[in-house]
Amino acid sequence: MVRRRFPPATLALVAVGLVAGGLWWWAVLRLLLVPGEAGPVEAVMVAGGWGLSLLPVHVAASSGRPGAAARRLGRVPWRRRWGTGSGSA
């Protein structure tokens, strides 16, 4: 069996992520189960976590050559529009 060793920075990042996820779930459950006792800190944590969950969808890199997404959408990349890029428009 092969033993894989992970760098300490990776393990620390995973630990921080697990703690942050646990705190987020705690805030969600507190808002759902005892909304009268939950305060603005819990609400901000829940809203912030939900907002961060949208980030990977909107920041995903496109596959293919540079400018391929613009061509698919019918737009010309700005470098070619102003004549500073290589190739023809």
Side-chain angles (χ1 to χ4, degrees):
M1 180 174 213
V2 177
R3 268 184 84 99
R4 295 184 182 164
R5 295 185 185 253
F6 297 101
T10 302
L11 295 176
L13 188 62
V14 168
V16 168
L18 288 173
V19 168
L23 288 173
W24 184 81
W25 275 109
W26 171 79
V28 168
L29 291 175
R30 187 168 159 96
L31 277 173
L32 290 176
L33 299 175
V34 242
E37 293 182 17
V41 173
E42 286 91 351
V44 168
M45 277 188 67
V46 170
W50 179 78
L52 283 175
S53 72
L54 298 177
L55 193 63
V57 175
H58 298 290
V59 183
S62 80
S63 60
R65 297 188 337 235
R71 283 190 292 279
R72 278 195 306 269
L73 296 173
R75 294 187 299 227
V76 178
W78 68 271
R79 282 177 296 215
R80 290 190 182 167
R81 183 180 307 149
W82 299 108
T84 58
S86 62
S88 61

Coordinates of all heavy atoms in Angstrom, one line a residue:
M1 N 0.8 -1.2 0.0 CA 0.0 0.0 0.0 C 0.9 1.2 0.0 O 1.9 1.3 0.7 CB -0.9 0.0 1.2 CG -1.8 1.1 1.3 SD -2.9 0.9 2.7 CE -4.3 1.6 2.1
V2 N 0.5 2.2 -0.8 CA 1.3 3.4 -0.9 C 0.8 4.5 0.1 O -0.4 4.7 0.2 CB 1.1 4.0 -2.4 CG1 1.9 5.3 -2.5 CG2 1.6 3.0 -3.4
R3 N 1.8 5.0 0.9 CA 1.4 6.0 1.8 C 1.7 7.4 1.2 O 2.7 7.7 0.6 CB 2.4 6.0 3.0 CG 1.8 5.1 4.1 CD 2.7 5.2 5.3 NE 2.5 6.4 6.2 CZ 1.8 6.3 7.3 NH1 1.2 5.2 7.6 NH2 1.6 7.4 8.0
R4 N 0.6 8.2 1.2 CA 0.8 9.5 0.6 C 0.9 10.5 1.8 O 0.1 10.5 2.7 CB -0.5 9.9 -0.2 CG -0.6 9.0 -1.4 CD -1.7 9.4 -2.3 NE -1.8 8.5 -3.4 CZ -2.8 8.4 -4.2 NH1 -3.9 9.1 -3.9 NH2 -2.8 7.5 -5.2
R5 N 1.8 11.4 1.6 CA 2.0 12.4 2.6 C 1.6 13.8 2.1 O 1.9 14.1 0.9 CB 3.5 12.5 3.1 CG 3.9 11.3 3.8 CD 5.3 11.4 4.3 NE 5.8 10.2 4.8 CZ 5.9 10.0 6.1 NH1 5.7 10.9 7.0 NH2 6.3 8.8 6.6
F6 N 0.8 14.5 2.8 CA 0.4 15.8 2.4 C 1.1 16.9 3.1 O 1.5 16.7 4.3 CB -1.1 16.0 2.7 CG -2.0 15.0 2.0 CD1 -2.5 13.9 2.6 CD2 -2.3 15.2 0.6 CE1 -3.3 13.0 1.9 CE2 -3.1 14.3 -0.1 CZ -3.6 13.2 0.6
P7 N 1.4 18.0 2.5 CA 2.2 19.0 3.1 C 1.3 19.6 4.3 O 0.1 19.6 4.2 CB 2.4 20.1 2.0 CG 1.8 19.5 0.8 CD 1.2 18.2 1.1
P8 N 2.0 20.1 5.3 CA 1.3 20.7 6.4 C 0.3 21.8 6.0 O -0.7 22.0 6.6 CB 2.4 21.2 7.4 CG 3.6 20.4 7.0 CD 3.4 20.1 5.5
A9 N 0.7 22.6 5.0 CA -0.1 23.7 4.6 C -1.5 23.2 4.1 O -2.5 23.8 4.3 CB 0.6 24.5 3.5
T10 N -1.4 22.1 3.4 CA -2.7 21.5 2.8 C -3.5 21.0 4.0 O -4.8 21.2 4.0 CB -2.3 20.3 1.9 OG1 -1.5 20.8 0.8 CG2 -3.6 19.7 1.3
L11 N -2.9 20.3 4.9 CA -3.7 19.8 6.1 C -4.3 21.0 6.9 O -5.4 20.9 7.3 CB -2.8 18.9 7.0 CG -2.3 17.6 6.3 CD1 -1.4 16.9 7.2 CD2 -3.5 16.8 5.9
A12 N -3.6 22.1 7.0 CA -4.1 23.2 7.7 C -5.2 23.8 7.0 O -6.2 24.2 7.6 CB -3.0 24.2 7.9
L13 N -5.1 23.9 5.7 CA -6.2 24.5 4.9 C -7.5 23.6 5.0 O -8.6 24.2 5.1 CB -5.8 24.6 3.4 CG -6.7 25.4 2.5 CD1 -6.9 26.8 2.9 CD2 -6.2 25.3 1.1
V14 N -7.3 22.3 5.0 CA -8.5 21.4 5.1 C -9.1 21.6 6.5 O -10.3 21.7 6.6 CB -8.0 20.0 4.9 CG1 -9.1 19.0 5.3 CG2 -7.7 19.8 3.4
A15 N -8.3 21.7 7.5 CA -8.8 21.9 8.9 C -9.5 23.2 9.0 O -10.6 23.3 9.6 CB -7.6 21.9 9.9
V16 N -9.0 24.3 8.4 CA -9.7 25.6 8.5 C -11.0 25.5 7.7 O -12.1 26.0 8.2 CB -8.8 26.7 7.9 CG1 -9.6 28.0 7.6 CG2 -7.6 27.0 8.8
G17 N -11.0 24.8 6.6 CA -12.3 24.6 5.8 C -13.3 23.8 6.6 O -14.5 24.2 6.6
L18 N -12.9 22.8 7.3 CA -13.8 22.0 8.1 C -14.4 22.8 9.3 O -15.6 22.7 9.6 CB -13.2 20.7 8.6 CG -12.9 19.7 7.5 CD1 -12.1 18.5 8.1 CD2 -14.2 19.1 7.0
V19 N -13.6 23.6 9.9 CA -14.0 24.4 11.0 C -15.0 25.5 10.5 O -16.1 25.7 11.1 CB -12.8 25.1 11.8 CG1 -13.3 26.1 12.7 CG2 -12.0 24.0 12.5
A20 N -14.7 26.1 9.4 CA -15.6 27.1 8.8 C -16.9 26.5 8.4 O -18.0 27.1 8.6 CB -14.9 27.8 7.7
G21 N -16.8 25.3 7.8 CA -18.1 24.6 7.4 C -18.9 24.3 8.6 O -20.1 24.4 8.6
G22 N -18.3 23.8 9.7 CA -19.0 23.5 10.9 C -19.6 24.7 11.5 O -20.8 24.6 12.0
L23 N -18.9 25.8 11.5 CA -19.5 27.0 12.1 C -20.7 27.5 11.2 O -21.7 28.0 11.7 CB -18.5 28.1 12.2 CG -17.4 28.0 13.3 CD1 -16.4 29.1 13.1 CD2 -18.1 28.0 14.6
W24 N -20.6 27.4 9.9 CA -21.7 27.8 9.0 C -22.9 26.9 9.3 O -24.0 27.4 9.4 CB -21.2 27.7 7.6 CG -22.3 28.2 6.6 CD1 -22.5 29.5 6.3 CD2 -23.2 27.4 5.9 NE1 -23.6 29.5 5.4 CE2 -24.0 28.3 5.2 CE3 -23.5 26.0 5.8 CZ2 -25.1 27.8 4.3 CZ3 -24.5 25.6 5.0 CH2 -25.3 26.5 4.3
W25 N -22.7 25.6 9.4 CA -23.9 24.7 9.7 C -24.5 25.0 11.0 O -25.7 25.0 11.2 CB -23.5 23.3 9.5 CG -23.6 22.8 8.1 CD1 -22.5 22.5 7.3 CD2 -24.8 22.6 7.4 NE1 -23.0 22.1 6.1 CE2 -24.4 22.2 6.1 CE3 -26.1 22.8 7.6 CZ2 -25.3 22.0 5.1 CZ3 -27.1 22.5 6.6 CH2 -26.6 22.1 5.4
W26 N -23.6 25.3 12.0 CA -24.1 25.7 13.3 C -25.0 27.0 13.2 O -26.1 27.0 13.8 CB -23.0 26.0 14.3 CG -23.4 26.6 15.6 CD1 -23.9 25.9 16.6 CD2 -23.3 28.0 15.9 NE1 -24.2 26.8 17.6 CE2 -23.8 28.1 17.2 CE3 -22.9 29.1 15.3 CZ2 -23.9 29.3 17.9 CZ3 -22.9 30.3 15.9 CH2 -23.4 30.4 17.2
A27 N -24.6 27.9 12.4 CA -25.4 29.2 12.3 C -26.7 28.9 11.5 O -27.7 29.4 11.9 CB -24.6 30.2 11.5
V28 N -26.6 28.0 10.5 CA -27.9 27.7 9.8 C -28.9 27.0 10.7 O -30.1 27.4 10.7 CB -27.5 26.8 8.6 CG1 -28.8 26.2 8.0 CG2 -26.8 27.6 7.5
L29 N -28.4 26.0 11.4 CA -29.3 25.3 12.3 C -29.8 26.2 13.4 O -31.0 26.1 13.8 CB -28.6 24.1 12.9 CG -28.3 22.9 11.9 CD1 -27.5 21.8 12.5 CD2 -29.6 22.4 11.3
R30 N -29.0 27.1 13.9 CA -29.5 28.0 15.0 C -30.5 28.9 14.4 O -31.5 29.2 15.1 CB -28.3 28.8 15.5 CG -28.6 29.6 16.7 CD -27.3 30.1 17.3 NE -27.6 31.3 18.1 CZ -27.8 31.2 19.5 NH1 -27.7 30.1 20.1 NH2 -28.0 32.3 20.1
L31 N -30.4 29.4 13.2 CA -31.4 30.3 12.6 C -32.7 29.5 12.3 O -33.8 30.1 12.5 CB -30.9 30.9 11.3 CG -30.0 32.1 11.4 CD1 -29.5 32.5 10.0 CD2 -30.8 33.3 12.0
L32 N -32.6 28.2 12.0 CA -33.8 27.4 11.7 C -34.5 27.0 13.0 O -35.7 27.0 13.0 CB -33.4 26.2 10.8 CG -33.0 26.5 9.4 CD1 -32.6 25.3 8.7 CD2 -34.2 27.2 8.6
L33 N -33.7 26.5 14.0 CA -34.4 25.9 15.1 C -34.7 26.9 16.2 O -35.8 26.7 16.9 CB -33.4 24.9 15.7 CG -33.1 23.7 14.7 CD1 -32.1 22.8 15.4 CD2 -34.3 23.0 14.3
V34 N -33.9 27.9 16.4 CA -34.2 29.0 17.4 C -34.0 30.3 16.9 O -33.1 31.1 17.2 CB -33.3 28.8 18.7 CG1 -34.1 28.5 19.9 CG2 -32.2 27.9 18.5
P35 N -34.9 30.8 16.0 CA -34.7 32.1 15.3 C -34.8 33.2 16.2 O -34.2 34.3 16.0 CB -35.8 32.1 14.3 CG -36.8 31.1 14.7 CD -36.1 30.1 15.5
G36 N -35.5 33.1 17.4 CA -35.6 34.2 18.3 C -34.3 34.5 19.0 O -34.1 35.6 19.4
E37 N -33.5 33.5 19.2 CA -32.2 33.7 19.9 C -31.0 34.0 19.0 O -30.0 34.4 19.4 CB -31.9 32.5 20.8 CG -32.9 32.3 21.9 CD -32.5 31.1 22.8 OE1 -31.4 30.6 22.7 OE2 -33.4 30.6 23.5
A38 N -31.2 33.7 17.7 CA -30.1 33.9 16.7 C -30.0 35.4 16.5 O -31.0 36.2 16.4 CB -30.4 33.2 15.4
G39 N -28.8 35.9 16.4 CA -28.5 37.3 16.2 C -28.0 37.6 14.8 O -28.0 36.7 13.9
P40 N -27.6 38.8 14.6 CA -27.1 39.2 13.3 C -25.8 38.5 12.9 O -25.5 38.4 11.7 CB -26.8 40.7 13.5 CG -26.7 41.0 14.9 CD -27.6 39.9 15.6
V41 N -25.0 38.1 13.8 CA -23.8 37.3 13.5 C -24.1 36.0 12.7 O -23.5 35.7 11.7 CB -22.9 37.1 14.7 CG1 -21.7 36.2 14.4 CG2 -22.5 38.4 15.4
E42 N -25.1 35.3 13.2 CA -25.5 34.1 12.6 C -26.0 34.4 11.2 O -25.7 33.7 10.2 CB -26.5 33.3 13.4 CG -25.9 32.6 14.6 CD -26.0 33.5 15.9 OE1 -26.3 34.7 15.7 OE2 -25.7 33.0 16.9
A43 N -26.9 35.4 11.1 CA -27.4 35.8 9.8 C -26.4 36.1 8.8 O -26.4 35.7 7.6 CB -28.4 36.9 10.0
V44 N -25.4 36.9 9.2 CA -24.3 37.3 8.3 C -23.5 36.1 7.9 O -23.1 36.0 6.7 CB -23.4 38.4 9.0 CG1 -22.1 38.6 8.2 CG2 -24.2 39.7 9.1
M45 N -23.2 35.2 8.8 CA -22.5 34.0 8.5 C -23.2 33.1 7.4 O -22.6 32.6 6.5 CB -22.2 33.1 9.7 CG -21.0 33.5 10.5 SD -20.7 32.4 11.9 CE -20.2 30.9 10.9
V46 N -24.5 33.0 7.6 CA -25.3 32.2 6.7 C -25.3 32.8 5.3 O -25.1 32.2 4.3 CB -26.7 31.9 7.2 CG1 -27.6 31.3 6.2 CG2 -26.6 31.0 8.5
A47 N -25.6 34.1 5.3 CA -25.6 34.8 4.0 C -24.3 34.8 3.3 O -24.2 34.6 2.1 CB -26.1 36.3 4.2
G48 N -23.2 35.0 4.1 CA -21.9 35.0 3.5 C -21.5 33.6 2.9 O -20.9 33.5 1.9
G49 N -21.8 32.6 3.7 CA -21.6 31.2 3.2 C -22.3 30.9 1.9 O -21.8 30.3 1.0
W50 N -23.6 31.3 1.9 CA -24.4 31.1 0.7 C -23.8 31.9 -0.5 O -23.7 31.3 -1.6 CB -25.8 31.5 0.9 CG -26.7 31.4 -0.3 CD1 -27.2 30.2 -0.7 CD2 -27.1 32.4 -1.2 NE1 -27.9 30.4 -1.9 CE2 -27.8 31.7 -2.2 CE3 -26.8 33.7 -1.3 CZ2 -28.4 32.4 -3.3 CZ3 -27.4 34.4 -2.4 CH2 -28.1 33.8 -3.3
G51 N -23.4 33.1 -0.3 CA -22.7 33.9 -1.3 C -21.5 33.2 -1.8 O -21.2 33.2 -3.0
L52 N -20.7 32.7 -0.9 CA -19.4 32.0 -1.3 C -19.7 30.7 -2.1 O -18.9 30.3 -3.0 CB -18.6 31.7 -0.1 CG -17.8 32.9 0.5 CD1 -17.1 32.4 1.8 CD2 -16.8 33.4 -0.5
S53 N -20.9 30.1 -1.9 CA -21.2 28.9 -2.6 C -21.5 29.2 -4.1 O -21.4 28.3 -4.9 CB -22.4 28.2 -2.0 OG -23.6 28.9 -2.2
L54 N -21.8 30.4 -4.4 CA -22.0 30.8 -5.8 C -20.8 31.1 -6.5 O -20.7 31.1 -7.8 CB -23.0 32.0 -5.9 CG -24.3 31.9 -5.3 CD1 -25.1 33.2 -5.4 CD2 -25.1 30.8 -6.0
L55 N -19.7 31.4 -5.8 CA -18.4 31.8 -6.4 C -17.9 30.8 -7.4 O -17.5 31.2 -8.5 CB -17.4 32.1 -5.3 CG -16.1 32.8 -5.7 CD1 -16.5 34.2 -6.2 CD2 -15.2 32.9 -4.6
P56 N -17.8 29.5 -7.1 CA -17.2 28.6 -8.1 C -18.0 28.5 -9.4 O -17.4 28.3 -10.5 CB -17.3 27.2 -7.4 CG -17.3 27.5 -6.0 CD -18.1 28.8 -5.9
V57 N -19.3 28.8 -9.4 CA -20.1 28.8 -10.7 C -19.7 30.0 -11.5 O -19.6 29.8 -12.7 CB -21.6 28.8 -10.3 CG1 -22.4 28.9 -11.6 CG2 -22.0 27.6 -9.5
H58 N -19.5 31.1 -10.9 CA -19.3 32.3 -11.7 C -17.8 32.6 -12.0 O -17.6 33.5 -12.8 CB -19.9 33.5 -11.0 CG -21.4 33.4 -10.8 ND1 -22.3 33.4 -11.9 CD2 -22.2 33.1 -9.7 CE1 -23.5 33.2 -11.5 NE2 -23.5 33.0 -10.2
V59 N -16.9 31.9 -11.4 CA -15.5 32.2 -11.6 C -14.8 31.1 -12.3 O -13.6 31.0 -12.4 CB -14.9 32.5 -10.2 CG1 -13.4 32.9 -10.3 CG2 -15.6 33.6 -9.5
A60 N -15.6 30.1 -12.8 CA -15.0 28.9 -13.4 C -14.3 29.4 -14.7 O -14.8 30.2 -15.5 CB -16.1 27.9 -13.7
A61 N -13.1 28.8 -14.9 CA -12.4 29.1 -16.2 C -13.0 28.4 -17.3 O -13.6 27.3 -17.2 CB -10.9 28.6 -16.0
S62 N -13.0 29.1 -18.5 CA -13.6 28.5 -19.7 C -12.5 27.6 -20.3 O -11.3 27.8 -20.2 CB -14.0 29.5 -20.7 OG -12.9 30.0 -21.4
S63 N -13.0 26.5 -20.9 CA -12.0 25.6 -21.6 C -11.8 26.1 -23.0 O -12.7 26.7 -23.6 CB -12.6 24.2 -21.5 OG -13.8 24.2 -22.2
G64 N -10.7 25.7 -23.6 CA -10.5 26.1 -25.0 C -9.4 27.2 -25.1 O -8.8 27.6 -24.1
R65 N -9.3 27.7 -26.3 CA -8.3 28.7 -26.6 C -8.8 30.1 -26.0 O -10.0 30.3 -25.8 CB -8.1 28.9 -28.1 CG -7.6 27.6 -28.7 CD -7.2 27.8 -30.1 NE -7.9 28.8 -30.8 CZ -8.6 28.7 -31.9 NH1 -8.8 27.5 -32.5 NH2 -9.2 29.7 -32.5
P66 N -7.8 31.0 -25.8 CA -8.2 32.3 -25.3 C -9.1 33.0 -26.3 O -8.8 33.0 -27.5 CB -6.8 33.1 -25.2 CG -5.8 32.0 -25.1 CD -6.4 30.8 -25.8
G67 N -10.1 33.6 -25.9 CA -11.1 34.3 -26.8 C -12.1 33.4 -27.3 O -13.0 33.8 -28.0
A68 N -12.1 32.1 -27.0 CA -13.1 31.2 -27.6 C -14.5 31.5 -27.0 O -15.5 31.4 -27.8 CB -12.7 29.7 -27.2
A69 N -14.6 31.8 -25.7 CA -15.9 32.2 -25.2 C -16.4 33.4 -25.8 O -17.6 33.5 -26.1 CB -15.7 32.4 -23.7
A70 N -15.6 34.4 -26.1 CA -16.1 35.6 -26.7 C -16.6 35.3 -28.2 O -17.6 35.8 -28.6 CB -15.0 36.7 -26.8
R71 N -15.9 34.4 -28.9 CA -16.3 34.1 -30.2 C -17.6 33.3 -30.2 O -18.5 33.5 -31.1 CB -15.2 33.3 -30.9 CG -14.1 34.2 -31.4 CD -13.1 33.4 -32.3 NE -12.4 32.4 -31.6 CZ -11.3 32.7 -30.9 NH1 -10.8 33.9 -30.7 NH2 -10.6 31.7 -30.3
R72 N -17.8 32.4 -29.2 CA -19.0 31.7 -29.1 C -20.2 32.7 -28.8 O -21.3 32.4 -29.3 CB -19.0 30.7 -28.0 CG -18.3 29.4 -28.3 CD -18.6 28.3 -27.3 NE -18.2 28.7 -26.0 CZ -17.1 28.5 -25.4 NH1 -16.1 28.0 -26.1 NH2 -16.9 28.9 -24.1
L73 N -19.9 33.7 -28.1 CA -21.0 34.7 -27.8 C -21.1 35.8 -28.9 O -22.0 36.7 -28.8 CB -20.7 35.4 -26.4 CG -20.7 34.4 -25.2 CD1 -20.3 35.2 -24.0 CD2 -22.1 33.9 -25.0
G74 N -20.3 35.7 -29.9 CA -20.4 36.6 -31.0 C -19.7 37.9 -30.8 O -20.0 39.0 -31.4
R75 N -18.8 38.0 -29.8 CA -18.0 39.2 -29.5 C -16.6 39.0 -30.0 O -16.1 37.9 -30.0 CB -18.1 39.5 -28.0 CG -19.5 39.8 -27.6 CD -19.4 40.3 -26.2 NE -18.9 39.2 -25.3 CZ -19.5 38.9 -24.2 NH1 -20.6 39.5 -23.8 NH2 -19.0 37.9 -23.4
V76 N -16.0 40.1 -30.3 CA -14.6 40.1 -30.7 C -13.7 40.5 -29.5 O -14.0 41.4 -28.8 CB -14.3 41.1 -31.8 CG1 -12.8 41.1 -32.2 CG2 -15.2 40.7 -33.0
P77 N -12.7 39.7 -29.1 CA -11.8 40.1 -28.0 C -11.2 41.5 -28.2 O -10.9 41.9 -29.3 CB -10.7 39.0 -28.0 CG -11.3 37.9 -28.7 CD -12.3 38.4 -29.7
W78 N -11.1 42.3 -27.1 CA -10.7 43.6 -27.3 C -9.3 43.8 -27.9 O -9.0 44.8 -28.6 CB -10.7 44.3 -25.9 CG -9.7 43.8 -24.9 CD1 -9.8 42.8 -24.0 CD2 -8.4 44.3 -24.7 NE1 -8.7 42.6 -23.3 CE2 -7.8 43.6 -23.7 CE3 -7.6 45.3 -25.3 CZ2 -6.5 43.8 -23.3 CZ3 -6.3 45.5 -24.9 CH2 -5.8 44.8 -23.9
R79 N -8.4 42.8 -27.7 CA -7.1 43.0 -28.3 C -7.2 42.9 -29.8 O -6.5 43.7 -30.5 CB -6.1 41.8 -27.9 CG -5.6 42.1 -26.5 CD -4.8 40.9 -26.1 NE -5.7 39.8 -26.0 CZ -5.7 38.8 -25.2 NH1 -4.8 38.7 -24.3 NH2 -6.6 37.9 -25.2
R80 N -8.0 42.1 -30.4 CA -8.2 42.1 -31.8 C -9.0 43.3 -32.3 O -8.8 43.7 -33.4 CB -8.9 40.8 -32.2 CG -7.9 39.6 -32.0 CD -8.5 38.4 -32.6 NE -7.6 37.3 -32.3 CZ -7.9 36.0 -32.5 NH1 -9.1 35.7 -33.0 NH2 -7.0 35.1 -32.2
R81 N -9.9 43.7 -31.5 CA -10.7 44.9 -32.0 C -9.9 46.1 -32.2 O -10.1 46.9 -33.1 CB -11.8 45.2 -30.9 CG -12.7 46.3 -31.3 CD -13.8 46.5 -30.3 NE -14.5 45.3 -29.9 CZ -14.9 45.1 -28.7 NH1 -14.8 46.0 -27.7 NH2 -15.5 44.0 -28.4
W82 N -8.9 46.3 -31.3 CA -8.0 47.5 -31.4 C -6.7 47.2 -32.1 O -5.9 48.1 -32.1 CB -7.8 48.0 -30.0 CG -9.0 48.4 -29.3 CD1 -9.6 47.7 -28.2 CD2 -9.9 49.5 -29.6 NE1 -10.8 48.4 -27.9 CE2 -11.0 49.4 -28.7 CE3 -9.8 50.5 -30.5 CZ2 -12.0 50.4 -28.7 CZ3 -10.9 51.5 -30.5 CH2 -11.9 51.4 -29.7
G83 N -6.6 46.1 -32.7 CA -5.4 45.8 -33.5 C -4.1 45.5 -32.7 O -3.1 45.6 -33.3
T84 N -4.2 45.2 -31.5 CA -3.0 44.9 -30.7 C -2.7 43.4 -30.6 O -1.7 43.0 -30.0 CB -3.1 45.5 -29.3 OG1 -4.2 45.0 -28.6 CG2 -3.2 47.0 -29.4
G85 N -3.6 42.6 -31.0 CA -3.4 41.1 -30.9 C -2.9 40.5 -32.2 O -2.8 41.2 -33.2
S86 N -2.7 39.2 -32.1 CA -2.2 38.5 -33.3 C -3.5 38.0 -34.0 O -4.5 37.7 -33.4 CB -1.2 37.4 -33.0 OG -1.9 36.5 -32.1
G87 N -3.4 37.8 -35.3 CA -4.5 37.2 -36.0 C -5.4 38.3 -36.6 O -5.3 39.4 -36.4
S88 N -6.4 37.8 -37.3 CA -7.3 38.7 -37.9 C -8.7 38.6 -37.2 O -9.0 37.6 -36.6 CB -7.5 38.4 -39.4 OG -8.0 37.1 -39.5
A89 N -9.5 39.7 -37.3 CA -10.7 39.7 -36.6 C -11.7 38.9 -37.3 O -12.3 38.6 -38.1 CB -11.2 41.1 -36.4

